[in-house]
Amino acid sequence: MKRREAIDKLTGREAYIDDIAIAGVWWGCTVRSAVPRGRIRDIRFGAEIDWSEFVVVDHRDLPGPNQVAMIENDQPVLASDRVRHIHEAVLLLAHPDRDRLREARRAIHIEIDEEPAIFDYRVPPPADTVQHGGDNVFKRVRIDKGDVDAALVAADHVVEGVYETGAQEHVYLENQGMVGYVEDGVVTVKGSMQCPYYIHAALRHALARADNEVRVIQAATGGGFGGKEDYPSVLALHAALLALKAERPVKILYDRDEDMAATTKRHPARVRHRTGVTSQGRIVAQDIEVLLDGGAYVTLSPVVLSRGVIHASGPYHCDNVRVEGRAVLTNAVPFGAFRGFGAPQTIFACERHMDVIADELGMCPLGLRRKNLIQDGQSTSTGQVIRDGTDRIEILDRAVRDAEFHQREAADRAFNSTHPYLRRATGIATFYHGAGFTGAGETYLDSRAQVVGLATGEVEIRTANVEMGQGALTTFVKIVAEKLAVEPDRIRVAEVDTFHVPNSGPTVASRTSMIVGRLLERGCDALCATLGGDWTGDKFERELLRWHAEHPGQELIAEVRYEPPPGVEWDDERYEGSAYGTFAWATYAAHVEVDLRTFGVRLLDFVAVQDVGTVLDEVLAAGQVQGGVVQGVGWALMEECQFVDGAMANHNLTNYSIPSSDDVPPVRVVFYETPYAHGAQGAKGIGELPMDGAAPAIVNAVARATGARPAVVPLTPEVLMRVMGSA
Amino acid sequence: MTILLPGTLTDAYRMLSDDPDVTPVAGGTDLFAHWPENRVKQSTTYLDLSGLAELRSMRWTKSELVLGALTTYWDVVTDARVAAEFPNLVTAARQVGAVQIQARGTWAGNIVNASPAADGVPVLLAYDATVRLGSRDGVEDIPLDEFYLDYKKMRRRPDQLVTEIRIPRRTYQRAWFEKVGPRKSQAITKVGVAVTVAGETWRIAANSVAPTVCRCPALERYCAAVAGAKGQPLTSPSDLLPAIRSDVSPIDDIRSTAEYREQVLARILFHALNDAGV
């Protein structure tokens, strides 16, 4: 099937928010704090500007509470008396001319009496930097399975390791952008986003408006990767406040510098492992500590931590597991959602640590993994019994075969012994990724989707899930077309507009195809039930037309709600039970070449083998995997957020390097398809999984090639030089 | 922003001498980066050289290759004769930005932008290039080696325009160029080095390791001595460090560290010399 929006995107017809002309629009911009923490003493407006031309908004203009509604409402929409991070929004300006707006922004001086700030999340906060609770800890999570202390004492070997991962910038192609306007008394925002109903809730809360007094419309969205999960709520509030005060539409578009400086990044993390193993390589105890840098406000840190902690012990069976997780405050620009959502951090640590354990035991890293991979009937760290029929050993073996692991090992050994400065090796990572919201999250979301039978005989899909480059539009159409056996061009997809589509939940957590797709299948069933039979194809269309002939002027809407799969139970207090409805499983293999002159790492080959349940669309699925791997390559080797006082110093694409096409070989993608009974057509989540595996596979390969033990990403050449110097 | 459009080179010289704050622009690939946030750039008066046919030519004389001020990287990349006689120019040009930048960016612009990370300059230095400056008062030739005074400071008066880059034609036994960046392409150099060997004469020029792109005279002497079997044979990269430390002064910055730059320069040169049997 042809991708729905392909021609519009290829021809440039697709209208992103920057492209949408709006009559009478003014431009908005944000005046931000230049210091990481302090009390606002004074705001001076330069005399060189005629301020009567401008609309100026500050915290006093909020009709409701000065809070961005999220997990905890601790983040102000606009700072009132204090700031907690550089680039924190203090004022908003609007003006018809963008150049004048820039001049005006430069003419505003926010004077702040600085207070002590904390930037290193790894150290205990000095008393004068405590800003949240009594200890700056946003969230604690603990998993306790079996008796870890006794098992560590009884183990033949205990292997320890500390692993650190850096922040990462999303680098969606389209920067953040939003327009706000008031239409018939309804505050409306339109822009680039993943979660229209998160924004809807944030607008209702801070603007003190009823459900039907705010409206959120998604414009074409050029990439999100989690960067448009939480931050657009802030931006939408800013655009709405300016529009309310200006009494006209106001558009805010971030340029790349502002976007990279002021919006969220992946949480930096440190993970400690203490692992008890038998001499034969059986893992008997895992003692793990996960620490996340949350930045200055809570945002999504608790749930990022939750996913990180649950994935920390890896796809292995162990009777004794303890994971202690904390997300802590620093005076950095808040960290937020990013593809993988905490799992890439802890999976990097776990998989790197597996190779270290293999080294310590003198075992083959493949053998160590084969011995410990979860088998059907065994359980994860939360006690979730896995019984999904996936052949996890075969996934590993397939990656080993396709990557020619053993043949290359011999060839690389010969190459390495003769080449003056190049060193090659293959590294692998085995991992899993839970699909959908964690724990009872999907139940709380209570998602609804609609399948509508139109009077034209066509079918309309109504969800709040967005196309952002991943192909959701196409996948949804395919699911419904195949379910009803009708032509894809007989299916429409409603614009994502909270006035017209129900809340089917956010477009995050690898949930869209699996969970919302399944809702659409059930919606088709419900529609057919109204039509009195299990119709398909031409018969379906005839029945639909007949219904409309019998019910002139009426709408035929089949709405379904999420129902948790049977047997899925979660104890959020004890962190026990079914953390996810299902998991996708994978083994990735990276063949690398390290240049000992420059300490640069070149990727020679990459094999990605995974079981994601039924593959709904081969091209889109492979695209997700390849894109995720490339994003992982960047995180592993070059994407370094350099922080100065909690703000990114290299907030531009000149000094923040993402992989170019020259840096990545073809990514060879293999799917196994063990169907999941509760996903659309048997699909599991796929979007985030590929972000998890590249970094550990690559760094394991570098370790094998050089004999060093790198434990950090990004493993830039400068870092590798230091690691090798101390090896 | 004001853009001046000279019809002839004479017009251009007059416009430059009338207003010392005018900035000449050729491809614009450096000048217009980070547009439009930079207010200084917005209020600048630019002298658009792109219409001046006199500056466009790339020509060969008996003794020189002459790059006109508007010669782009791409002009060089696509010229087989340059590839045969001055391969380093092609190697370096192919590593500047992407094809779009290579097609617009000029060698002369790279020189006067005066970035310590300029990729075009080390290879020109290693080929002993000379910069020809023109003005209403006539022409002046300055060896590129003497052109830079300090970070972003050069021997070009505001009324002067680079009109040509003149590269002497010699027989080189060896020429190589290595650029190390954060990724394979479209990268800003962390450390780079160009080397030529003509007879017993070595030229080594490095970028991103000092306030300006610079020749490395101590390294040149050291390598010439080692190659001429007058010095101790090389046993490890660290043998090169004393000469490197006397030639360059790398710093820690947003793109790399001083230690990395120094070490990598030593390692690249060491292995290049080894490969060459030195």
Side-chain angles (χ1 to χ4, degrees):
Chain A
M1 192 182 120
K2 205 169 69 188
R3 186 166 175 155
R4 268 284 162 126
E5 78 289 12
I7 297 298
D8 281 348
K9 278 183 174 161
L10 285 171
T11 55
R13 270 203 298 269
E14 186 85 288
Y16 298 87
I17 193 63
D18 193 8
D19 305 317
I20 300 172
I22 294 162
V25 77
W26 280 22
W27 299 99
C29 78
T30 315
V31 189
R32 303 177 180 282
S33 164
V35 305
R37 186 183 176 213
R39 249 172 218 290
I40 300 173
R41 176 163 27 92
D42 192 18
I43 298 176
R44 286 189 291 111
F45 292 78
E48 67 272 33
I49 301 286
D50 177 3
W51 293 101
S52 68
E53 293 176 12
F54 291 83
V55 165
V56 182
V57 163
D58 69 18
H59 66 99
R60 292 167 301 185
D61 292 301
L62 276 144
N66 184 10
Q67 297 168 339
V68 181
M70 223 168 275
I71 293 174
E72 289 186 27
N73 296 340
D74 65 328
Q75 185 178 14
V77 180
L78 291 167
S80 51
D81 57 334
R82 329 175 71 129
V83 293
R84 263 201 206 165
H85 63 86
I86 289 181
H87 303 314
E88 181 158 1
V90 181
L91 296 178
L92 305 167
L93 305 179
H95 191 274
D97 183 279
R98 292 170 94 174
D99 288 330
R100 300 278 292 131
L101 198 58
R102 281 188 200 98
E103 286 168 28
R105 177 158 64 181
R106 280 188 285 261
I108 292 176
H109 303 279
I110 302 171
E111 288 173 11
I112 296 173
D113 294 326
E114 284 203 56
E115 296 175 312
I118 182 159
F119 302 113
D120 189 343
Y121 69 102
R122 298 162 300 188
V123 301
D128 58 2
T129 67
V130 172
Q131 297 150 73
H132 187 96
D135 54 5
N136 277 352
V137 176
F138 285 145
K139 174 79 175 175
R140 281 193 166 78
V141 168
R142 185 186 171 102
I143 291 175
D144 251 315
K145 178 189 186 187
D147 187 341
V148 171
D149 294 320
L152 282 171
V153 170
D156 296 332
H157 304 274
V158 174
V159 182
E160 301 191 26
V162 182
Y163 306 91
E164 289 189 12
T165 60
Q168 187 180 21
E169 159 61 31
H170 306 84
V171 200
Y172 25 69
L173 278 178
E174 182 212 16
N175 296 331
Q176 306 258 5
M178 200 76 68
V179 62
Y181 51 93
V182 182
E183 197 172 49
D184 303 328
V186 176
V187 175
T188 306
V189 296
K190 184 172 190 175
S192 193
M193 64 183 71
Q194 292 177 237
C195 313
Y197 275 95
Y198 283 7
I199 297 174
H200 194 261
L203 291 175
R204 271 182 319 176
H205 182 74
L207 304 183
R209 287 186 163 240
D211 259 14
N212 58 359
E213 292 173 333
V214 295
R215 178 177 182 181
V216 181
I217 305 168
Q218 184 230 359
T221 299
F225 310 113
K228 292 170 185 170
E229 176 169 351
D230 41 323
Y231 195 83
S233 294
V234 177
L235 190 55
L237 280 164
H238 289 175
L241 286 168
L242 280 171
L244 280 166
K245 192 154 183 182
E247 298 182 333
R248 61 177 68 244
V250 177
K251 198 189 260 194
I252 307 180
L253 299 172
Y254 287 175
D255 64 15
R256 186 64 71 179
D257 276 25
E258 182 173 19
D259 197 301
M260 290 177 80
T263 73
T264 57
K265 314 266 170 286
R266 182 184 300 288
H267 290 73
R270 185 188 69 193
V271 183
R272 289 178 189 279
H273 273 264
R274 215 149 57 99
T275 310
V277 278
T278 66
S279 298
Q280 288 73 44
R282 178 86 215 143
I283 295 173
V284 292
Q286 291 175 290
D287 188 12
I288 304 167
E289 187 190 301
V290 177
L291 182 63
L292 295 187
D293 183 349
Y297 294 103
V298 174
T299 66
L300 296 169
S301 294
V303 277
V304 172
L305 176 69
S306 169
R307 186 176 281 273
V309 160
I310 290 168
H311 287 78
S313 48
Y316 307 109
H317 173 73
C318 179
D319 287 321
N320 307 291
V321 184
R322 177 168 58 216
V323 191
E324 286 181 294
R326 278 182 302 145
V328 300
L329 175 146
T330 60
N331 292 100
V333 178
F335 297 99
F338 196 141
R339 192 180 203 170
F341 213 69
Q345 291 92 318
T346 57
I347 287 170
F348 170 75
C350 178
E351 282 308 291
R352 188 62 205 105
H353 192 58
M354 287 298 280
D355 266 35
V356 170
I357 294 170
D359 258 7
E360 292 287 319
L361 299 183
M363 270 185 86
C364 168
L366 308 177
L368 179 69
R369 286 176 170 84
R370 276 195 199 96
K371 186 162 258 172
N372 290 286
L373 271 173
I374 282 186
Q375 296 166 19
D376 269 14
Q378 293 180 330
S379 65
T380 67
S381 60
T382 64
Q384 178 169 5
V385 177
I386 300 296
R387 201 171 275 119
D388 62 6
T390 306
D391 191 343
R392 285 166 282 275
I393 300 284
E394 168 58 15
I395 292 170
L396 169 63
D397 287 345
R398 177 66 186 269
V400 168
R401 284 200 304 277
D402 281 18
E404 300 175 53
F405 188 93
H406 296 292
Q407 300 90 316
R408 276 189 188 151
E409 195 171 29
D412 288 343
R413 203 176 297 126
F415 177 87
N416 294 345
S417 65
T418 53
H419 199 282
Y421 53 82
L422 297 179
R423 300 287 178 270
R424 293 177 178 169
T426 304
I428 62 152
T430 51
F431 55 102
Y432 65 164
H433 197 96
F437 264 39
T438 304
E442 289 295 341
T443 305
Y444 291 136
L445 275 177
D446 193 24
S447 299
R448 291 177 294 129
Q450 294 174 354
V451 179
V452 183
L454 302 175
T456 57
E458 294 166 298
V459 173
E460 184 170 272
I461 295 169
R462 294 183 188 165
T463 78
N465 294 93
V466 307
E467 170 63 53
M468 52 178 164
Q470 86 281 40
L473 209 55
T474 309
T475 309
F476 279 174
V477 169
K478 202 166 176 176
I479 288 167
V480 171
E482 289 176 10
K483 180 77 182 167
L484 297 173
V486 298
E487 290 300 317
D489 61 9
R490 301 294 291 158
I491 295 168
R492 296 190 196 175
V493 181
E495 183 183 35
V496 176
D497 173 344
T498 55
F499 264 24
H500 295 302
V501 297
N503 184 357
S504 57
T507 309
V508 304
S510 312
R511 65 186 292 279
T512 304
S513 297
M514 176 177 100
I515 287 177
V516 185
R518 178 71 192 128
L519 286 178
L520 293 176
E521 285 185 338
R522 288 176 44 218
C524 292
D525 289 339
L527 189 64
C528 286
T530 310
L531 296 176
D534 213 357
W535 313 118
T536 54
D538 293 345
K539 185 90 177 133
F540 167 82
E541 191 162 330
R542 278 199 301 278
E543 291 297 324
L544 178 55
L545 291 170
R546 195 217 309 257
W547 187 94
H548 277 287
E550 289 167 1
H551 303 82
Q554 290 187 37
E555 275 201 302
L556 177 54
I557 300 176
E559 179 170 299
V560 289
R561 269 175 194 277
Y562 176 77
E563 286 167 13
V568 169
E569 278 175 26
W570 175 251
D571 182 337
D572 204 48
E573 291 299 307
R574 305 179 58 184
Y575 259 65
E576 274 179 17
S578 298
Y580 298 98
T582 185
F583 293 89
W585 308 88
T587 300
Y588 286 3
H591 189 218
V592 308
E593 181 179 273
V594 183
D595 187 332
L596 298 181
R597 299 173 309 160
T598 63
F599 303 96
V601 177
R602 187 158 76 101
L603 203 49
L604 302 174
D605 186 25
F606 201 96
V607 174
V609 183
Q610 51 257 300
D611 192 328
V612 294
T614 307
V615 171
L616 297 175
D617 185 289
E618 189 89 32
V619 173
L620 289 176
Q624 283 277 30
V625 173
Q626 288 164 340
V629 167
V630 173
Q631 213 156 25
V633 171
W635 188 50
L637 295 176
M638 63 185 81
E639 294 188 34
E640 184 182 23
C641 296
Q642 300 180 38
F643 289 103
V644 176
D645 290 348
M648 192 174 171
N650 53 335
H651 56 100
N652 52 61
L653 294 177
T654 308
N655 292 319
Y656 182 83
S657 297
I658 61 171
S660 71
S661 50
D662 281 354
D663 296 286
V664 188
V667 176
R668 299 193 278 149
V669 180
V670 178
F671 289 114
Y672 283 78
E673 301 182 58
T674 309
Y676 169 54
H678 308 288
Q681 295 187 11
K684 302 176 189 175
I686 184 173
E688 296 168 288
L689 175 87
M691 181 69 222
D692 298 337
I698 289 167
V699 177
N700 281 340
V702 172
R704 289 166 61 79
T706 60
R709 276 197 184 168
V712 177
V713 291
L715 186 60
T716 61
E718 288 81 357
V719 172
L720 182 58
M721 181 177 82
R722 260 184 279 129
V723 172
M724 293 195 62
S726 65
Chain B
M1 174 169 89
T2 309
I3 297 178
L4 303 176
L5 299 169
T8 64
L9 194 52
T10 314
D11 284 351
Y13 289 154
R14 180 178 46 75
M15 290 167 173
L16 279 174
S17 65
D18 286 353
D19 180 356
D21 290 329
V22 165
T23 302
V25 55
T29 55
D30 276 308
L31 291 176
F32 297 146
H34 295 285
W35 193 267
E37 260 300 306
N38 192 323
R39 185 164 58 164
V40 176
K41 289 176 183 173
Q42 285 188 64
S43 56
T44 301
T45 298
Y46 293 98
L47 177 72
D48 179 10
L49 305 177
S50 62
L52 300 178
E54 300 101 303
L55 301 181
R56 194 157 287 287
S57 74
M58 175 167 86
R59 62 197 164 82
W60 297 84
T61 70
K62 210 167 154 67
S63 58
E64 287 176 322
L65 166 61
V66 182
L67 307 179
L70 291 176
T71 303
T72 64
Y73 301 108
W74 197 246
D75 292 335
V76 161
V77 167
T78 49
D79 192 304
R81 204 168 156 193
V82 179
E85 204 164 320
F86 297 103
N88 270 2
L89 295 185
V90 177
T91 310
R94 282 306 264 144
Q95 295 184 60
V96 175
V99 171
Q100 292 92 329
I101 300 290
Q102 291 163 21
R104 283 201 67 87
T106 64
W107 294 86
N110 199 228
I111 290 174
V112 296
N113 184 57
S115 163
D119 286 322
V121 177
V123 289
L124 290 173
L125 271 174
Y127 283 132
D128 272 343
T130 296
V131 179
R132 173 159 293 179
L133 296 167
S135 73
R136 225 154 51 165
D137 302 335
V139 297
E140 183 183 359
D141 286 327
I142 300 176
L144 185 53
D145 184 26
E146 296 164 20
F147 186 67
Y148 295 113
L149 301 169
D150 201 344
Y151 177 70
K152 293 269 180 184
K153 291 205 165 46
M154 63 201 111
R155 289 174 57 185
R156 171 190 160 260
R157 294 195 315 266
D159 67 319
Q160 287 179 316
L161 201 60
V162 174
T163 58
E164 286 176 352
I165 303 160
R166 310 177 73 90
I167 307 167
R169 301 177 66 181
R170 293 182 189 141
T171 305
Y172 290 101
Q173 283 78 50
R174 287 192 206 104
W176 73 79
F177 171 70
E178 190 87 32
K179 166 175 171 166
V180 181
R183 62 183 170 199
K184 287 274 167 276
S185 56
Q186 300 211 54
I188 297 180
T189 301
K190 291 178 176 183
V191 49
V193 60
V195 179
T196 62
V197 184
E200 292 185 2
T201 304
W202 284 65
R203 288 281 181 269
I204 301 178
N207 57 342
S208 296
V209 286
T212 70
V213 184
C214 62
R215 280 264 302 275
C216 303
L219 269 174
E220 290 173 357
R221 285 193 300 275
Y222 186 88
C223 292
V226 172
K230 289 175 213 134
Q232 291 285 320
L234 284 174
T235 56
S236 91
S238 52
D239 295 347
L240 293 158
L241 285 176
I244 287 172
R245 286 173 184 151
S246 94
D247 285 333
V248 303
S249 49
I251 56 168
D252 290 347
D253 66 10
I254 204 160
R255 294 180 188 138
S256 190
T257 64
E259 187 195 5
Y260 178 83
R261 290 171 155 133
E262 199 174 85
Q263 288 290 333
V264 170
L265 185 54
R267 283 162 178 269
I268 287 172
L269 280 171
F270 172 79
H271 287 289
L273 294 167
N274 259 357
D275 284 353
V278 176

